């Protein structure tokens, strides 16, 4: 990935765009640094396309004729609570393969609560990352830091995910990693007790992965436009939101862009980590809203023809401003 781009040319193009900064992880690997610089270099001139889930990415390739530049995958099935119920992850193998094909990998973690999954008919175990699917209390767990069973289970889970991230590190695969997403919504257990426990947990996840496990192939992606929940520019390489509007509304989301720009003080690259309907690249250009990338969500959001019609997808993926793996504007250009 990016073999045609020298670090010098990346830096030059980034400086021309007016936004350049280093990875928050000072020990970031060369390829992690290169990934962040590449995204910065495209910021304001191109929009990098992304698709969540491999089967949906393959649907785009088969039906639209172009492959998105970013593959979104999930670490959820590596969570110990999921493994205990028989879940098996394929994310790491998929990420290594997509990297070899020249693509960018973005990983999210729908973290099944470490314990206390309700496992009822209404809330089965596989809904255990939702607040309503567990009685796990993150504030209580963190309040007994180092001395409580629940805290030790948090660490166990982070360590289990670190094992998988280490596989990517050993393969020299850089990733966009977005843990603890959508915290302010409260619908996930890591955001259920307010911003203070969430921020503590963010720091623990970062410290455990980088310092304890010595993993540095990560570009760290935050996911909130709420200042009370935002970890801070010193803890985020890229700042994002998730947005699901009306099906078929391809607006450029000026209000959301302004919210995120205000939170980051215009000092971070901004992107759409999840969308239902993809923003129109022509509107983005017209309204000067340089979302660095967007990640269309999987299944019906990309396939039903309501959120994104096939004609819209063909027009979008063949737009010269949209970066793809193998279309008009390629990720290696």
């Amino acid at each position: 990935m990016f073999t045609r781009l020298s670090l010098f040319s990346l830096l030059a193009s980034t400086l021309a765009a007016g936004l350049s900064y280093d990875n928050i992880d000072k020990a970031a690997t060369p390829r992690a640094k290169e990934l962040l610089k590449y995204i910065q270099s495209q910021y304001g001139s191109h929009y990098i396309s992304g698709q969540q889930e491999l089967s949906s990415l393959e649907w785009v390739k088969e039906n639209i004729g172009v492959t998105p530049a970013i593959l979104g995958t999930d670490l959820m099935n590596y969570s110990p609570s999921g493994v205990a119920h028989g879940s098996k992850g394929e994310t790491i193998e998929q990420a290594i393969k997509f990297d070899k094909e020249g693509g960018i990998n973005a990983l999210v973690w729908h973290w099944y609560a470490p314990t206390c999954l309700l496992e009822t008919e209404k809330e089965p175990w596989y809904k255990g990352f939702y607040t309503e699917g567990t009685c796990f209390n993150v504030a209580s767990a963190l309040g007994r830091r180092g001395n409580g069973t629940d805290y030790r289970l948090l660490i166990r889970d982070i360590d289990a995910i670190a094992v998988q991230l280490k596989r990517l590190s050993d393969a020299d695969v850089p990733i966009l990693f977005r843990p603890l997403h959508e915290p302010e919504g409260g619908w996930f257990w890591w955001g259920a007790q307010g911003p203070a426990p969430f921020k503590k947990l963010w720091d623990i996840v970062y410290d455990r992965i980088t310092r304890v496990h010595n993993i540095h192939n990560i570009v760290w992606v935050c996911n909130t436009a709420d200042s009370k929940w935002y970890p801070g520019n010193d803890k985020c390489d890229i700042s994002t939101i998730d947005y699901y509007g009306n099906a078929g509304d391809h607006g450029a989301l000026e209000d959301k862009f302004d919210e995120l720009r205000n939170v980051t003080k215009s000092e971070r690259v901004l992107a759409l980590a999840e969308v239902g309907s993809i923003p129109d690249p022509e509107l983005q250009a017209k309204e000067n809203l340089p979302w660095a990338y967007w990640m269309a969500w999987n299944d019906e959001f990309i396939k039903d023809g309501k959120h994104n019609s096939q004609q819209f997808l063909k027009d979008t993926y063949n737009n010269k401003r949209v970066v793809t793996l193998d279309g008009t504007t390629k990720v290696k250009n």
Side-chain angles (χ1 to χ4, degrees):
M1 183 169 62
F2 319 128
T3 54
R4 300 179 192 173
L5 291 169
S6 69
L7 188 57
F8 177 81
S9 64
L10 286 172
L11 284 168
S13 59
T14 301
L15 289 171
L19 186 59
S20 177
Y21 51 87
D22 295 332
N23 299 62
I24 60 168
D25 180 2
K26 302 309 177 186
T29 64
R31 292 198 72 202
K33 292 178 180 178
E34 190 178 348
L35 175 55
L36 180 59
K37 292 303 180 187
Y38 173 75
I39 293 173
Q40 290 173 349
S41 77
Q42 301 301 296
Y43 193 53
S45 59
H46 293 95
Y47 319 119
I48 306 173
S49 60
Q51 179 58 56
Q52 184 69 25
E53 193 181 71
L54 181 59
S55 63
S56 292
L57 180 136
E58 291 174 341
W59 182 92
V60 173
K61 182 178 181 179
E62 293 171 6
N63 290 273
I64 309 303
V66 179
T67 307
I70 305 175
L71 169 62
T73 50
D74 203 318
L75 293 165
M76 64 191 302
N77 287 329
Y78 299 106
S79 300
S81 292
V83 173
H85 285 84
S87 68
K88 296 181 180 180
E90 299 177 343
T91 290
I92 304 305
E93 291 81 5
Q94 292 173 359
I96 292 173
K97 182 175 183 293
F98 197 64
D99 178 75
K100 290 180 179 178
E101 294 171 356
I104 298 171
N105 285 285
L107 277 64
V108 67
W109 181 18
H110 283 89
W111 184 353
Y112 294 125
T115 188
C116 206
L117 305 186
L118 297 187
E119 300 190 57
T120 64
E121 183 177 353
K122 182 180 179 181
E123 301 294 342
W125 71 266
Y126 51 81
K127 291 187 176 181
F129 50 81
Y130 287 115
T131 300
E132 293 183 352
T134 178
C135 58
F136 186 80
N137 187 303
V138 64
S140 177
L142 294 174
R144 293 191 292 271
R145 182 168 181 167
N147 297 313
T149 299
D150 285 355
Y151 178 81
R152 290 194 291 272
L153 289 174
L154 282 173
I155 299 302
R156 176 205 65 182
D157 283 17
I158 298 168
D159 288 351
I161 295 304
V163 169
Q164 304 305 324
L165 295 176
K166 185 64 163 57
R167 293 171 62 194
L168 294 175
S169 177
D170 289 346
D172 195 23
V173 175
I175 61 170
L176 303 170
F177 183 39
R178 181 172 60 105
L180 309 181
H181 63 297
E182 301 176 12
E184 73 274 25
W187 41 75
F188 297 135
W189 61 262
W190 50 85
Q193 273 77 48
F198 160 75
K199 288 183 176 181
K200 287 182 181 178
L201 185 58
W202 178 276
D203 289 344
I204 291 169
V205 169
Y206 178 82
D207 179 75
R208 196 80 189 169
I209 289 173
T210 58
R211 185 183 61 81
V212 177
H213 292 282
N214 198 32
I215 297 170
H216 304 287
N217 61 318
I218 296 171
V219 173
W220 289 83
V221 179
C222 295
N223 190 230
T224 178
D226 190 323
S227 60
K228 296 188 296 293
W229 293 81
Y230 186 59
N233 285 347
D234 60 331
K235 299 177 182 179
C236 306
D237 288 314
I238 296 175
S239 298
T240 68
I241 60 165
D242 298 348
Y243 183 76
Y244 293 89
N246 295 328
D249 182 353
H250 301 291
L253 306 178
E254 179 179 6
D255 56 338
K256 300 300 179 183
F257 189 89
D258 288 343
E259 288 175 12
L260 197 52
R261 180 168 54 187
N262 289 337
V263 168
T264 63
K265 301 177 182 178
S266 300
E267 295 175 355
R268 284 294 177 267
V269 166
L270 310 182
L272 293 165
E274 294 181 24
V275 293
S277 298
I278 297 168
D280 186 333
E282 290 300 323
L283 283 178
Q284 284 187 254
K286 181 179 179 180
E287 298 177 17
N288 193 27
L289 298 171
W291 295 108
Y293 62 84
W294 38 257
M295 179 75 70
W297 206 241
N298 56 295
D299 293 335
E300 70 270 18
F301 292 102
I302 197 66
K303 300 176 183 178
D304 67 6
K306 298 176 182 178
H307 292 83
N308 301 282
S309 71
Q310 287 204 23
Q311 187 59 56
F312 173 80
L313 290 173
K314 289 177 181 178
D315 291 343
T316 296
Y317 274 100
N318 288 288
N319 189 298
K320 64 182 180 180
R321 295 185 176 91
V322 175
V323 177
T324 65
L325 191 63
D326 50 14
T328 303
T329 304
K330 298 178 177 61
V331 71
K332 290 185 179 181
N333 285 352

